[in-house]
Amino acid sequence: MRVLVTGVKGQLGYDVVNELTKRGHEAVGVDVEEMDITDPGAVERVITDARVEAVIHCAAYTAVDAAEDHVDICRRVNAYGTENVAKVCEKLDLKMMYISTDYVFDGEGTRPWEPDDERHPLNVYGQTKYEGEVAVTDHVARFFIVRIAWVFGVNGKNFIKTMLNLGKTHDTLTVVNDQTGSPTYTYDLAVLLVDMIHTDKYGFYHATNEGLCTWYEFAVEIFRQAGMDVNVLPVSASEYPAKAKRPSNSRMNKDKLDENGFQRLPSWQDALGRYLKEIQ
């Protein structure tokens, strides 16, 4: 199978291309230099010339706090950029997989979010990713929309790398303890996405590593597994001011993976252990 992957320089795009290649598929990896998704002409030219059967769209504007000040560029990338990709997939009758986020929900309550729940984003990033979802469903017949959360991978910045770096210079750190979700290792996720793109089991999915934690619990486990003696103190999100509001409930129901015969991702603790070995 020949697949175009956007955002190849990001955490997920990098791993998806590696996974496709490992399985003997032809991966066409592009980033902004090869295909600026905000340029409709470039998107049509590159995807058409690539002669692929599917597009896995990982590229996104993901700076959640910066997005509050840079609404236009965030929307150009996440909403209009996704629409540009979707329109070409529609024209060429390609499968399209769009990587979305738990941030499309309002983060209230404690019930895990269902794939078909109503979406009420809390911040600019979540709103523009929601608009991207709408663009995909409006234009693409054969689509997968896969929502992920709390992402970490070898290629790029993430919470684990931030904690490890801070742990080298701080004996004590404060981390938010009233936001609950599931971390997602891009290596594990890439395996699932490549499994999925071969099927016709289209629709909305949630995919994260198994198990729940708060950011505080995640940090404690990071230092435990890394063998670092760092005292982590729990704080509330209100004590840790951020420009963009975050959801307190990022629990996501993944039963649809089971229903369609897809393998769930391993536990986040297991994923963390493998990741630490990979980066150290």
Side-chain angles (χ1 to χ4, degrees):
M1 192 175 193
R2 191 166 160 84
V3 183
L4 184 134
V5 182
T6 68
V8 70
K9 287 185 176 173
Q11 296 188 98
L12 181 57
Y14 176 83
D15 280 344
V16 169
V17 165
N18 283 347
E19 183 63 27
L20 284 163
T21 306
K22 193 163 79 182
R23 297 205 211 170
H25 302 294
E26 289 183 82
V28 181
V30 297
D31 217 288
V32 65
E33 297 85 0
E34 295 82 20
M35 186 180 88
D36 178 354
I37 62 170
T38 66
D39 177 348
V43 171
E44 178 156 14
R45 186 178 65 254
V46 173
I47 296 178
T48 303
D49 290 351
R51 298 185 178 279
V52 293
E53 297 158 69
V55 174
I56 300 179
H57 181 37
C58 303
Y61 183 104
T62 57
V64 176
D65 289 317
E68 298 294 310
D69 293 323
H70 301 97
V71 181
D72 288 349
I73 180 64
C74 186
R75 178 161 281 119
R76 270 210 308 277
V77 174
N78 292 346
Y80 304 146
T82 300
E83 184 175 41
N84 291 335
V85 175
K87 283 179 172 176
V88 178
C89 288
E90 177 183 36
K91 183 178 177 182
L92 301 176
D93 188 29
L94 305 178
K95 293 183 183 184
M96 179 175 174
M97 179 176 284
Y98 175 56
I99 307 305
S100 193
T101 171
D102 61 298
Y103 279 41
V104 299
F105 302 117
D106 65 15
E108 297 298 318
T110 57
R111 177 180 70 78
W113 297 103
E114 301 287 343
D116 298 324
D117 275 341
E118 282 189 22
R119 297 156 290 183
H120 299 287
L122 293 175
N123 55 39
V124 170
Y125 167 69
Q127 177 63 32
T128 59
K129 291 295 286 183
Y130 166 48
E131 290 165 16
E133 290 189 0
V134 172
V136 174
T137 57
D138 279 355
H139 291 285
V140 183
R142 299 188 294 153
F143 72 84
F144 302 89
I145 291 175
V146 185
R147 299 195 189 105
I148 63 176
W150 299 23
V151 178
F152 63 94
V154 172
N155 199 46
K157 299 175 186 168
N158 58 58
F159 180 75
I160 298 173
K161 288 182 180 177
T162 300
M163 288 296 107
L164 294 174
N165 285 330
L166 287 171
K168 290 171 189 168
T169 54
H170 295 71
D171 297 328
T172 301
L173 294 170
T174 56
V175 180
V176 171
N177 195 36
D178 54 0
Q179 294 169 357
T180 300
S182 305
T184 311
Y185 185 13
T186 54
Y187 177 88
D188 293 340
L189 180 63
V191 173
L192 171 65
L193 299 183
V194 175
D195 286 347
M196 209 176 254
I197 202 72
H198 284 93
T199 73
D200 57 2
K201 295 172 179 176
Y202 306 114
F204 288 85
Y205 289 88
H206 291 163
T208 61
N209 283 92
E210 287 297 293
L212 294 168
C213 60
T214 65
W215 289 108
Y216 160 75
E217 289 164 340
F218 193 15
V220 168
E221 184 66 10
I222 290 165
F223 292 125
R224 188 190 74 76
Q225 289 203 24
M228 294 171 70
D229 187 18
V230 179
N231 185 29
V232 186
L233 301 175
V235 294
S236 69
S238 59
E239 295 172 73
Y240 193 89
K243 186 152 278 200
K245 190 169 188 215
R246 263 74 168 175
S248 61
N249 175 25
S250 291
R251 300 169 180 85
M252 295 202 288
N253 188 324
K254 291 163 283 193
D255 289 349
K256 193 168 173 182
L257 294 175
D258 307 325
E259 290 159 13
N260 286 287
F262 296 120
Q263 191 79 37
R264 288 196 184 217
L265 278 54
S267 76
W268 68 264
Q269 295 94 332
D270 174 79
L272 171 60
R274 286 179 287 115
Y275 178 70
L276 291 173
K277 284 200 184 88
E278 187 70 27
I279 64 171
Q280 277 167 354

